[in-house]
Amino acid sequence: MTNPAGINPGEQVVLYDGVCKLCNAWVMFLLRHRIPRHVRFAAVQSEQGKALLRFVGLPDEDIRTIVLIDGQNHWLRAQAIFRIMHYMPWPWRVLSVVRFMPDVISNYCYDRIALNRYRLFGRYNEHYPLKSDYHGRFLDQ
């Protein structure tokens, strides 16, 4: 099996909820703290995001999680966040060690926030386009 269309070997893609204000803020945090260029982004509401969800065998409608795609592997929820933190510069990278915490604990915490994110942080009426730090960072731009 090959990489999905639009993803080059060695690139990772973060799929995020493009209407969630918390999710958008998290992507802006990653960009502001200079996550490497081989990490790209797509909102799950975009056509590219939906195609990638189907590629990894997830439903392309009503997805409520963060997904990290790295070649043929993908991670969801807390594991995706902790693995993404591995690509960050120090001191943020140290947070990636939390991925060794049992999934039942880390996903419980993730799920509590995810279930209440719109109520706590708000949402946009439609996919909110973020500004890229360079052309091609977002698969739909």
Side-chain angles (χ1 to χ4, degrees):
M1 195 187 275
T2 62
N3 280 352
I7 301 177
N8 299 316
E11 289 184 334
Q12 292 77 36
V13 176
V14 176
L15 300 178
Y16 67 98
D17 182 349
V19 298
C20 170
K21 288 186 177 182
L22 175 62
C23 302
N24 280 276
W26 186 69
V27 170
M28 290 187 307
F29 168 84
L30 295 174
L31 294 172
R32 189 171 42 256
H33 288 88
R34 296 186 179 91
I35 194 160
R37 288 182 173 219
H38 62 83
V39 178
R40 298 174 70 197
F41 300 93
V44 296
Q45 292 84 3
S46 70
E47 289 307 312
Q48 295 84 352
K50 290 178 182 184
L52 289 172
L53 288 169
R54 289 189 299 271
F55 176 80
V56 298
L58 294 171
D60 64 1
E61 293 296 325
D62 201 34
I63 188 85
R64 299 182 183 271
T65 188
I66 297 233
V67 181
L68 172 64
I69 300 173
D70 185 357
Q72 301 305 308
N73 300 312
H74 71 280
W75 295 271
L76 307 172
R77 300 163 51 199
Q79 278 296 319
I81 289 176
F82 299 142
R83 289 175 185 274
I84 292 163
M85 295 307 290
H86 173 75
Y87 299 114
M88 295 293 290
W90 290 96
W92 302 108
R93 182 176 295 177
V94 77
L95 293 173
S96 70
V97 301
V98 181
R99 74 178 181 262
F100 298 111
M101 179 187 304
D103 283 346
V104 69
I105 296 170
S106 60
N107 282 333
Y108 176 81
C109 296
Y110 177 92
D111 290 343
R112 299 294 67 78
I113 295 169
L115 287 171
N116 296 297
R117 70 187 188 275
Y118 293 149
R119 184 173 53 79
L120 295 172
F121 301 98
R123 65 174 290 162
Y124 300 106
N125 291 330
E126 56 187 41
H127 169 217
Y128 184 79
L130 295 173
K131 285 192 131 188
S132 177
D133 56 347
Y134 76 95
H135 181 72
R137 172 72 88 171
F138 290 87
L139 296 179
D140 60 347
Q141 293 179 355

